[in-house]
Amino acid sequence: MGNQSIAVFPGSFDPLTNGHVDIVERSLKIFDRLVVAVLHNPQKQHLFSVDERVELLKKEFKHYGKRTKVLSFSGLLVDFAKKVDARVIVRGLRAVSDYEYEMQMALMNRHLRQEMETVFLITNERNSYISSTMVKGVAMLGGSVHTLVPRAVEDALLKKLKRKK
Amino acid sequence: MGNQSIAVFPGSFDPLTNGHVDIVERSLKIFDRLVVAVLHNPQKQHLFSVDERVELLKKEFKHYGKRTKVLSFSGLLVDFAKKVDARVIVRGLRAVSDYEYEMQMALMNRHLRQEMETVFLITNERNSYISSTMVKGVAMLGGSVHTLVPRAVEDALLKKLKRKK
Amino acid sequence: MGNQSIAVFPGSFDPLTNGHVDIVERSLKIFDRLVVAVLHNPQKQHLFSVDERVELLKKEFKHYGKRTKVLSFSGLLVDFAKKVDARVIVRGLRAVSDYEYEMQMALMNRHLRQEMETVFLITNERNSYISSTMVKGVAMLGGSVHTLVPRAVEDALLKKLKRKK
Amino acid sequence: MGNQSIAVFPGSFDPLTNGHVDIVERSLKIFDRLVVAVLHNPQKQHLFSVDERVELLKKEFKHYGKRTKVLSFSGLLVDFAKKVDARVIVRGLRAVSDYEYEMQMALMNRHLRQEMETVFLITNERNSYISSTMVKGVAMLGGSVHTLVPRAVEDALLKKLKRKK
Amino acid sequence: MGNQSIAVFPGSFDPLTNGHVDIVERSLKIFDRLVVAVLHNPQKQHLFSVDERVELLKKEFKHYGKRTKVLSFSGLLVDFAKKVDARVIVRGLRAVSDYEYEMQMALMNRHLRQEMETVFLITNERNSYISSTMVKGVAMLGGSVHTLVPRAVEDALLKKLKRKK
Amino acid sequence: MGNQSIAVFPGSFDPLTNGHVDIVERSLKIFDRLVVAVLHNPQKQHLFSVDERVELLKKEFKHYGKRTKVLSFSGLLVDFAKKVDARVIVRGLRAVSDYEYEMQMALMNRHLRQEMETVFLITNERNSYISSTMVKGVAMLGGSVHTLVPRAVEDALLKKLKRKK
């Protein structure tokens, strides 16, 4: 496996949830380095800009030092993975419907770059119902997301939603 | 991640299929060493004895040299994993129903030994319909399993089934 | 369980279908009172306004007298449920994909208000393929929805779609 | 709904798990009384006899007083439900595969007795991977089931498995 | 498609249910001839012998004249299909778990005989919860299967179960 | 089944993929004639206009001669099917989530026109991860779709996307 195993963990992270944090922690038990890749998709509307998201993730994962790197990307994931020297994509699994879409993505990515391998990790059962979409929905309706996202994300969410009112 | 990443790939392998071989190959792109762990379950009826299965797998994976090791185990998988110094369990995924059972197993194994991580790999789509049970069923009814299992397994299956008649 | 069991049945009801009516009937076999809660979501486009939907449901469930109440709500469902003194959310289940989303919602609602319980009822198998979206789709293309929705809803649909042409 | 709402919670309970206990607690928030119905199926092999299971459940639910009753039953569940005056069956849901079988059972029970309603509750996410079968498997292989079953069940399991050796 | 389209509908039919009858009817709208193929599996225990099952099906489908044929088979389904000149296998679908197994079988049969095509039909929603296993279970516990199976099957079931007591 | 069996294969085909081509080929082994029906939905945004799509499909299936016909349609599928004298709808299946939606559509279409039958075919496992949406996504990000769509579609995609830049 060469000297260092490098994996990439792609996502929108709009915003980062405890489920994402859990997958990062688990990935670092398996791989030497993890590139957290924030998708920059100009065609989709996001609550946080790609720069804001990268910033929040960088703070959150700073304590891992050089083992994690947060970068934004656009274009094909397999091209980005190649550039950062990663042969493995990490994805977290929750529900069955996730799984089917993820499986199709994994096969497509393997088709696009044959040596690309996708590994799936199971998130903690406490996080099984947490998605970025749900978190935003709850926060917008005034519910507490205190135990669903990291502290800094909660603060950013509250600030962002106030600004929008 | 220490010096060497070691994963364990558990199963009954009764018999080994091309799907299993595919997962072993993929695992070796991710981990330094892989322990293929043949479950010895005296309460279940098998076509091949645990010794026969270990033998077949050893031959099949010999060309990987020291990177793979084939062992039988009984008892809790997490205890076996600890003994061989593996913190990662590898499982291949095909269908949704697989996935649910696998997810429960992964959570249970994490419960039994907290640092135990299960990673799921997606088998080649060509293998999506191959299971040991199907292979045995086809072989018993006289169908060809030529493209479903490694050559040596095909030979062993034919010999075993003839002997049984 | 106190003196009176009160449940809330939330939905968009755009429009009410025979599947919804079936769930209301079943709920009233289990709970003393049912609050049918029409979601007012200004960010989504609806065929019927929230007032029109409330009106249609009120007529449809009038014969249950005080046992049902139709109200609109916005904001968090758990807050609305608290206001109407309901500790139980009722949801109807049809397909597996429904079920996963519903399960995540149920866990989230429990997270947001711990004493909140969600119960799932199985709709009559005759209604297994009826959803508001399908009903609208069929009506817009000129198909008959006679056996899919209550009579008054059919009339309202025809009127609404004519008016739109 | 008459004066008192009575529900029946059927199962094999071989053995009782924390998942079952969770469903009983949730049911008592919804129904006035709950009959926990231990299936006596002479054609299946059980670890605990039906009498042992009834005994363990009675102890576990004693603190609920008259609100719960533990009984064994054989024959059709709908006939048993009628005898104990219950019009509602309670079932806990975990996985998607559970759900499909449960849905078919619910429809069949409704077919056999039209006024029979099945309600599904979602177990705590902490219990999502706990089943009686898994618990027995872990205990037989020497793993700890301390956080998976009530204390008395753990004791009974250890005693039973020792006795069997 | 040549002169006559012939399909084979394989199953255990232990016993024939209204769901099976529904699929036969639907198949005859699509294919010129249908061979209903009763699996003879000596390793499985059946309630009705293969001869009894063939007899019951023959009576039930007699009114279709030459368009249906009831035969028993053992060995590979694709070999049987070839013998009766059928290039199409018909299967009825109910649940998602059915579907996955059926999909694997379809791919395996295609692997075993390349020109073999499997088509899936959707049973009437009224039959969505009827399986041979459920029917036997209900009948054994004294429940009525009157609306679940054809009249002659009901009679045979009652006779068979009485004889067994 | 009358003299000629006619089936309709509806879809958006935006664009046609190898998965669609596979289903057309399989359908022609079962039915005498196949009408490939391109949905004209003015409310949805498409990459290719309905005329462009019809044109691409006509070229692709020209070699089947009179056995296939490519037409666009709007309105209810069952009305279109009646007009072209088809009593059978053909759909390809890949994933479980497909299947549920497809099942509901099939039941709805049967409800709208009782003699309408839907048959499901299993696509080649090589195509299990190919959808029009994925193909467009890959092409837009600069990935090769060479082995995912017919040659002419690849050319049209490249031209279309260049034109859009």
Side-chain angles (χ1 to χ4, degrees), chain B residues 4-36:
Chain B
Q4 287 250 308
S5 63
I6 305 174
V8 61
F9 177 33
S12 288
F13 304 104
D14 185 43
L16 183 74
T17 69
N18 286 348
H20 297 130
V21 173
D22 182 56
I23 294 297
V24 168
E25 276 175 33
R26 296 184 187 287
S27 301
L28 288 172
K29 292 199 227 157
I30 300 173
F31 302 100
D32 293 319
R33 307 176 85 114
L34 186 74
V35 179
V36 186

mmCIF file of all heavy atoms in Angstrom, chain B residues 4-36:
data_model
loop_
_atom_site.group_PDB
_atom_site.id
_atom_site.type_symbol
_atom_site.label_atom_id
_atom_site.label_comp_id
_atom_site.label_asym_id
_atom_site.label_seq_id
_atom_site.Cartn_x
_atom_site.Cartn_y
_atom_site.Cartn_z
ATOM 1 N N GLN B 4 1.732 -0.946 10.347
ATOM 2 C CA GLN B 4 1.124 -1.813 9.346
ATOM 3 C C GLN B 4 -0.374 -1.892 9.582
ATOM 4 O O GLN B 4 -0.833 -2.096 10.716
ATOM 5 C CB GLN B 4 1.708 -3.233 9.507
ATOM 6 C CG GLN B 4 3.117 -3.369 9.047
ATOM 7 C CD GLN B 4 3.199 -4.186 7.796
ATOM 8 O OE1 GLN B 4 2.679 -5.293 7.723
ATOM 9 N NE2 GLN B 4 3.843 -3.647 6.781
ATOM 10 N N SER B 5 -1.145 -1.710 8.537
ATOM 11 C CA SER B 5 -2.591 -1.834 8.702
ATOM 12 C C SER B 5 -2.993 -3.283 8.413
ATOM 13 O O SER B 5 -2.632 -3.846 7.383
ATOM 14 C CB SER B 5 -3.318 -0.870 7.772
ATOM 15 O OG SER B 5 -3.059 -1.173 6.428
ATOM 16 N N ILE B 6 -3.686 -3.855 9.371
ATOM 17 C CA ILE B 6 -4.110 -5.257 9.245
ATOM 18 C C ILE B 6 -5.629 -5.316 9.306
ATOM 19 O O ILE B 6 -6.235 -4.745 10.213
ATOM 20 C CB ILE B 6 -3.534 -6.117 10.389
ATOM 21 C CG1 ILE B 6 -2.013 -5.973 10.440
ATOM 22 C CG2 ILE B 6 -3.937 -7.576 10.235
ATOM 23 C CD1 ILE B 6 -1.375 -6.679 11.616
ATOM 24 N N ALA B 7 -6.229 -5.999 8.350
ATOM 25 C CA ALA B 7 -7.676 -6.166 8.359
ATOM 26 C C ALA B 7 -8.008 -7.649 8.337
ATOM 27 O O ALA B 7 -7.189 -8.476 7.925
ATOM 28 C CB ALA B 7 -8.305 -5.464 7.161
ATOM 29 N N VAL B 8 -9.201 -7.971 8.801
ATOM 30 C CA VAL B 8 -9.645 -9.362 8.782
ATOM 31 C C VAL B 8 -10.886 -9.458 7.904
ATOM 32 O O VAL B 8 -11.760 -8.600 7.949
ATOM 33 C CB VAL B 8 -9.895 -9.869 10.232
ATOM 34 C CG1 VAL B 8 -10.987 -9.073 10.930
ATOM 35 C CG2 VAL B 8 -10.245 -11.337 10.244
ATOM 36 N N PHE B 9 -10.933 -10.477 7.064
ATOM 37 C CA PHE B 9 -12.075 -10.700 6.165
ATOM 38 C C PHE B 9 -12.712 -12.036 6.549
ATOM 39 O O PHE B 9 -12.222 -13.092 6.159
ATOM 40 C CB PHE B 9 -11.576 -10.728 4.715
ATOM 41 C CG PHE B 9 -12.646 -11.011 3.678
ATOM 42 C CD1 PHE B 9 -13.956 -10.578 3.852
ATOM 43 C CD2 PHE B 9 -12.324 -11.696 2.507
ATOM 44 C CE1 PHE B 9 -14.929 -10.835 2.889
ATOM 45 C CE2 PHE B 9 -13.297 -11.942 1.538
ATOM 46 C CZ PHE B 9 -14.594 -11.521 1.734
ATOM 47 N N PRO B 10 -13.783 -11.989 7.358
ATOM 48 C CA PRO B 10 -14.380 -13.224 7.863
ATOM 49 C C PRO B 10 -15.457 -13.774 6.933
ATOM 50 O O PRO B 10 -16.099 -13.017 6.192
ATOM 51 C CB PRO B 10 -15.036 -12.751 9.170
ATOM 52 C CG PRO B 10 -15.453 -11.350 8.871
ATOM 53 C CD PRO B 10 -14.450 -10.805 7.870
ATOM 54 N N GLY B 11 -15.675 -15.082 6.980
ATOM 55 C CA GLY B 11 -16.727 -15.678 6.162
ATOM 56 C C GLY B 11 -16.757 -17.184 6.326
ATOM 57 O O GLY B 11 -15.899 -17.765 7.003
ATOM 58 N N SER B 12 -17.761 -17.798 5.713
ATOM 59 C CA SER B 12 -17.820 -19.257 5.730
ATOM 60 C C SER B 12 -17.043 -19.826 4.543
ATOM 61 O O SER B 12 -16.468 -20.896 4.638
ATOM 62 C CB SER B 12 -19.275 -19.732 5.671
ATOM 63 O OG SER B 12 -19.911 -19.484 6.894
ATOM 64 N N PHE B 13 -17.062 -19.133 3.440
ATOM 65 C CA PHE B 13 -16.316 -19.552 2.255
ATOM 66 C C PHE B 13 -16.618 -21.004 1.883
ATOM 67 O O PHE B 13 -15.707 -21.786 1.655
ATOM 68 C CB PHE B 13 -14.809 -19.353 2.462
ATOM 69 C CG PHE B 13 -14.428 -17.951 2.829
ATOM 70 C CD1 PHE B 13 -14.087 -17.621 4.146
ATOM 71 C CD2 PHE B 13 -14.434 -16.937 1.885
ATOM 72 C CE1 PHE B 13 -13.750 -16.317 4.499
ATOM 73 C CE2 PHE B 13 -14.104 -15.618 2.233
ATOM 74 C CZ PHE B 13 -13.750 -15.315 3.547
ATOM 75 N N ASP B 14 -17.904 -21.327 1.840
ATOM 76 C CA ASP B 14 -18.313 -22.711 1.575
ATOM 77 C C ASP B 14 -19.137 -22.779 0.312
ATOM 78 O O ASP B 14 -20.338 -22.971 0.392
ATOM 79 C CB ASP B 14 -19.094 -23.240 2.789
ATOM 80 C CG ASP B 14 -19.444 -24.717 2.623
ATOM 81 O OD1 ASP B 14 -18.567 -25.478 2.180
ATOM 82 O OD2 ASP B 14 -20.595 -25.095 2.917
ATOM 83 N N PRO B 15 -18.521 -22.625 -0.857
ATOM 84 C CA PRO B 15 -17.089 -22.465 -1.098
ATOM 85 C C PRO B 15 -16.740 -21.004 -1.401
ATOM 86 O O PRO B 15 -17.607 -20.162 -1.511
ATOM 87 C CB PRO B 15 -16.889 -23.298 -2.374
ATOM 88 C CG PRO B 15 -18.147 -23.049 -3.145
ATOM 89 C CD PRO B 15 -19.243 -22.882 -2.112
ATOM 90 N N LEU B 16 -15.457 -20.765 -1.551
ATOM 91 C CA LEU B 16 -14.907 -19.500 -2.045
ATOM 92 C C LEU B 16 -15.495 -19.202 -3.425
ATOM 93 O O LEU B 16 -15.554 -20.079 -4.278
ATOM 94 C CB LEU B 16 -13.390 -19.660 -2.179
ATOM 95 C CG LEU B 16 -12.571 -18.438 -2.625
ATOM 96 C CD1 LEU B 16 -12.480 -17.439 -1.482
ATOM 97 C CD2 LEU B 16 -11.181 -18.861 -3.080
ATOM 98 N N THR B 17 -15.931 -17.947 -3.644
ATOM 99 C CA THR B 17 -16.443 -17.571 -4.970
ATOM 100 C C THR B 17 -15.572 -16.462 -5.558
ATOM 101 O O THR B 17 -14.739 -15.877 -4.857
ATOM 102 C CB THR B 17 -17.887 -17.036 -4.883
ATOM 103 O OG1 THR B 17 -17.855 -15.766 -4.198
ATOM 104 C CG2 THR B 17 -18.806 -17.982 -4.125
ATOM 105 N N ASN B 18 -15.836 -16.153 -6.820
ATOM 106 C CA ASN B 18 -15.128 -15.029 -7.446
ATOM 107 C C ASN B 18 -15.437 -13.711 -6.735
ATOM 108 O O ASN B 18 -14.626 -12.790 -6.769
ATOM 109 C CB ASN B 18 -15.523 -14.924 -8.923
ATOM 110 C CG ASN B 18 -14.883 -16.026 -9.743
ATOM 111 O OD1 ASN B 18 -13.982 -16.715 -9.266
ATOM 112 N ND2 ASN B 18 -15.368 -16.205 -10.967
ATOM 113 N N GLY B 19 -16.609 -13.632 -6.120
ATOM 114 C CA GLY B 19 -16.952 -12.443 -5.347
ATOM 115 C C GLY B 19 -16.004 -12.266 -4.171
ATOM 116 O O GLY B 19 -15.508 -11.167 -3.898
ATOM 117 N N HIS B 20 -15.722 -13.362 -3.462
ATOM 118 C CA HIS B 20 -14.769 -13.298 -2.342
ATOM 119 C C HIS B 20 -13.379 -12.890 -2.825
ATOM 120 O O HIS B 20 -12.711 -12.068 -2.208
ATOM 121 C CB HIS B 20 -14.662 -14.661 -1.644
ATOM 122 C CG HIS B 20 -15.931 -15.144 -1.018
ATOM 123 N ND1 HIS B 20 -16.422 -16.409 -1.235
ATOM 124 C CD2 HIS B 20 -16.814 -14.540 -0.198
ATOM 125 C CE1 HIS B 20 -17.548 -16.566 -0.557
ATOM 126 N NE2 HIS B 20 -17.810 -15.445 0.080
ATOM 127 N N VAL B 21 -12.959 -13.512 -3.936
ATOM 128 C CA VAL B 21 -11.629 -13.222 -4.470
ATOM 129 C C VAL B 21 -11.514 -11.733 -4.810
ATOM 130 O O VAL B 21 -10.508 -11.079 -4.518
ATOM 131 C CB VAL B 21 -11.347 -14.085 -5.725
ATOM 132 C CG1 VAL B 21 -10.039 -13.672 -6.384
ATOM 133 C CG2 VAL B 21 -11.321 -15.569 -5.342
ATOM 134 N N ASP B 22 -12.585 -11.193 -5.370
ATOM 135 C CA ASP B 22 -12.623 -9.777 -5.731
ATOM 136 C C ASP B 22 -12.451 -8.897 -4.481
ATOM 137 O O ASP B 22 -11.703 -7.909 -4.510
ATOM 138 C CB ASP B 22 -13.968 -9.487 -6.415
ATOM 139 C CG ASP B 22 -14.110 -8.056 -6.890
ATOM 140 O OD1 ASP B 22 -13.245 -7.610 -7.660
ATOM 141 O OD2 ASP B 22 -15.087 -7.393 -6.502
ATOM 142 N N ILE B 23 -13.110 -9.245 -3.417
ATOM 143 C CA ILE B 23 -13.017 -8.444 -2.183
ATOM 144 C C ILE B 23 -11.602 -8.532 -1.603
ATOM 145 O O ILE B 23 -11.064 -7.531 -1.102
ATOM 146 C CB ILE B 23 -14.071 -8.904 -1.150
ATOM 147 C CG1 ILE B 23 -15.495 -8.612 -1.661
ATOM 148 C CG2 ILE B 23 -13.850 -8.240 0.212
ATOM 149 C CD1 ILE B 23 -15.812 -7.145 -1.873
ATOM 150 N N VAL B 24 -10.997 -9.707 -1.667
ATOM 151 C CA VAL B 24 -9.619 -9.851 -1.177
ATOM 152 C C VAL B 24 -8.680 -8.928 -1.961
ATOM 153 O O VAL B 24 -7.875 -8.190 -1.382
ATOM 154 C CB VAL B 24 -9.145 -11.319 -1.259
ATOM 155 C CG1 VAL B 24 -7.634 -11.427 -1.030
ATOM 156 C CG2 VAL B 24 -9.902 -12.165 -0.237
ATOM 157 N N GLU B 25 -8.825 -8.961 -3.278
ATOM 158 C CA GLU B 25 -7.980 -8.093 -4.114
ATOM 159 C C GLU B 25 -8.152 -6.618 -3.756
ATOM 160 O O GLU B 25 -7.176 -5.870 -3.630
ATOM 161 C CB GLU B 25 -8.342 -8.268 -5.592
ATOM 162 C CG GLU B 25 -7.639 -9.447 -6.228
ATOM 163 C CD GLU B 25 -8.120 -9.647 -7.668
ATOM 164 O OE1 GLU B 25 -8.446 -8.657 -8.337
ATOM 165 O OE2 GLU B 25 -8.189 -10.817 -8.080
ATOM 166 N N ARG B 26 -9.399 -6.210 -3.600
ATOM 167 C CA ARG B 26 -9.661 -4.807 -3.279
ATOM 168 C C ARG B 26 -9.120 -4.446 -1.891
ATOM 169 O O ARG B 26 -8.601 -3.349 -1.686
ATOM 170 C CB ARG B 26 -11.159 -4.512 -3.339
ATOM 171 C CG ARG B 26 -11.719 -4.684 -4.725
ATOM 172 C CD ARG B 26 -13.184 -4.315 -4.870
ATOM 173 N NE ARG B 26 -13.632 -4.693 -6.200
ATOM 174 C CZ ARG B 26 -13.286 -4.047 -7.302
ATOM 175 N NH1 ARG B 26 -12.512 -2.993 -7.228
ATOM 176 N NH2 ARG B 26 -13.694 -4.460 -8.484
ATOM 177 N N SER B 27 -9.269 -5.358 -0.960
ATOM 178 C CA SER B 27 -8.783 -5.098 0.403
ATOM 179 C C SER B 27 -7.276 -4.851 0.402
ATOM 180 O O SER B 27 -6.763 -4.009 1.146
ATOM 181 C CB SER B 27 -9.083 -6.285 1.316
ATOM 182 O OG SER B 27 -10.462 -6.525 1.358
ATOM 183 N N LEU B 28 -6.580 -5.605 -0.449
ATOM 184 C CA LEU B 28 -5.124 -5.482 -0.456
ATOM 185 C C LEU B 28 -4.653 -4.182 -1.090
ATOM 186 O O LEU B 28 -3.489 -3.804 -0.956
ATOM 187 C CB LEU B 28 -4.498 -6.699 -1.146
ATOM 188 C CG LEU B 28 -4.587 -7.978 -0.301
ATOM 189 C CD1 LEU B 28 -4.138 -9.190 -1.100
ATOM 190 C CD2 LEU B 28 -3.744 -7.850 0.975
ATOM 191 N N LYS B 29 -5.559 -3.481 -1.774
ATOM 192 C CA LYS B 29 -5.204 -2.135 -2.241
ATOM 193 C C LYS B 29 -5.296 -1.128 -1.098
ATOM 194 O O LYS B 29 -4.773 -0.023 -1.191
ATOM 195 C CB LYS B 29 -6.170 -1.697 -3.343
ATOM 196 C CG LYS B 29 -6.024 -2.477 -4.627
ATOM 197 C CD LYS B 29 -6.666 -1.684 -5.769
ATOM 198 C CE LYS B 29 -7.554 -2.565 -6.616
ATOM 199 N NZ LYS B 29 -8.573 -1.797 -7.334
ATOM 200 N N ILE B 30 -5.994 -1.502 -0.031
ATOM 201 C CA ILE B 30 -6.267 -0.553 1.055
ATOM 202 C C ILE B 30 -5.465 -0.869 2.302
ATOM 203 O O ILE B 30 -4.998 0.030 3.004
ATOM 204 C CB ILE B 30 -7.780 -0.564 1.378
ATOM 205 C CG1 ILE B 30 -8.564 -0.146 0.137
ATOM 206 C CG2 ILE B 30 -8.108 0.332 2.567
ATOM 207 C CD1 ILE B 30 -10.056 -0.286 0.276
ATOM 208 N N PHE B 31 -5.285 -2.167 2.582
ATOM 209 C CA PHE B 31 -4.606 -2.570 3.808
ATOM 210 C C PHE B 31 -3.285 -3.263 3.485
ATOM 211 O O PHE B 31 -3.140 -3.874 2.432
ATOM 212 C CB PHE B 31 -5.507 -3.499 4.626
ATOM 213 C CG PHE B 31 -6.817 -2.850 4.957
ATOM 214 C CD1 PHE B 31 -7.961 -3.136 4.230
ATOM 215 C CD2 PHE B 31 -6.893 -1.894 5.972
ATOM 216 C CE1 PHE B 31 -9.161 -2.509 4.514
ATOM 217 C CE2 PHE B 31 -8.091 -1.257 6.266
ATOM 218 C CZ PHE B 31 -9.223 -1.559 5.535
ATOM 219 N N ASP B 32 -2.361 -3.180 4.416
ATOM 220 C CA ASP B 32 -1.064 -3.817 4.211
ATOM 221 C C ASP B 32 -1.175 -5.331 4.244
ATOM 222 O O ASP B 32 -0.567 -6.032 3.456
ATOM 223 C CB ASP B 32 -0.081 -3.347 5.297
ATOM 224 C CG ASP B 32 0.254 -1.872 5.159
ATOM 225 O OD1 ASP B 32 0.435 -1.427 4.013
ATOM 226 O OD2 ASP B 32 0.327 -1.179 6.185
ATOM 227 N N ARG B 33 -1.985 -5.806 5.205
ATOM 228 C CA ARG B 33 -2.121 -7.257 5.347
ATOM 229 C C ARG B 33 -3.583 -7.611 5.565
ATOM 230 O O ARG B 33 -4.326 -6.854 6.193
ATOM 231 C CB ARG B 33 -1.312 -7.755 6.554
ATOM 232 C CG ARG B 33 0.132 -7.309 6.523
ATOM 233 C CD ARG B 33 0.841 -7.749 7.783
ATOM 234 N NE ARG B 33 1.312 -9.102 7.647
ATOM 235 C CZ ARG B 33 2.602 -9.437 7.617
ATOM 236 N NH1 ARG B 33 3.532 -8.504 7.748
ATOM 237 N NH2 ARG B 33 2.958 -10.682 7.487
ATOM 238 N N LEU B 34 -3.968 -8.791 5.086
ATOM 239 C CA LEU B 34 -5.344 -9.229 5.237
ATOM 240 C C LEU B 34 -5.368 -10.651 5.795
ATOM 241 O O LEU B 34 -4.753 -11.545 5.235
ATOM 242 C CB LEU B 34 -6.071 -9.199 3.883
ATOM 243 C CG LEU B 34 -7.577 -9.500 3.946
ATOM 244 C CD1 LEU B 34 -8.331 -8.306 4.519
ATOM 245 C CD2 LEU B 34 -8.119 -9.835 2.560
ATOM 246 N N VAL B 35 -6.084 -10.824 6.899
ATOM 247 C CA VAL B 35 -6.287 -12.163 7.446
ATOM 248 C C VAL B 35 -7.654 -12.660 6.983
ATOM 249 O O VAL B 35 -8.684 -12.093 7.352
ATOM 250 C CB VAL B 35 -6.227 -12.143 8.990
ATOM 251 C CG1 VAL B 35 -6.465 -13.542 9.535
ATOM 252 C CG2 VAL B 35 -4.894 -11.584 9.460
ATOM 253 N N VAL B 36 -7.649 -13.679 6.132
ATOM 254 C CA VAL B 36 -8.915 -14.268 5.693
ATOM 255 C C VAL B 36 -9.308 -15.302 6.735
ATOM 256 O O VAL B 36 -8.582 -16.267 6.977
ATOM 257 C CB VAL B 36 -8.784 -14.899 4.296
ATOM 258 C CG1 VAL B 36 -10.141 -15.362 3.794
ATOM 259 C CG2 VAL B 36 -8.177 -13.894 3.318
#
